[in-house]
Amino acid sequence: MLRIGGRPWGSVSLFRMRGAPAFGQDDVALLAELSEPLADRLRRFATPHNPHGGNGQHGPHGGKRPARRKRRGRRGR
């Protein structure tokens, strides 16, 4: 379960091929470490973005639009 502050935001199901070794303590520790960052990312995508106000903390870019890349003109024209 992917949680932030006790609230679930998603879940992960992992499977091994038949005959492969079971998940070990290192695998469990890695998933536990990634649980909150993954939940945070899911929450940002799942929470509506309000472009006209609010605290600006929601949406895939933290409520902010990514900077636009400047277009370079073609040289030699």
Side-chain angles (χ1 to χ4, degrees), residues 32-52:
E33 187 178 321
L34 293 174
S35 176
E36 191 170 330
L38 289 171
D40 180 59
R41 194 65 173 158
L42 285 173
R43 178 179 63 178
R44 288 173 186 256
F45 281 112
T47 307
H49 168 63
N50 182 357
H52 302 293

Side-chain angles (χ1 to χ4, degrees), residues 1-59:
M1 189 65 56
L2 305 176
R3 297 179 189 268
I4 295 178
R7 185 172 180 184
W9 285 95
S11 63
V12 175
S13 297
L14 301 174
F15 302 92
R16 291 276 173 127
M17 299 276 298
R18 192 169 285 171
F23 291 105
Q25 290 301 317
D26 290 341
D27 300 314
V28 173
L30 175 64
L31 289 173
E33 187 178 321
L34 293 174
S35 176
E36 191 170 330
L38 289 171
D40 180 59
R41 194 65 173 158
L42 285 173
R43 178 179 63 178
R44 288 173 186 256
F45 281 112
T47 307
H49 168 63
N50 182 357
H52 302 293
N55 63 10
Q57 297 300 310
H58 303 295

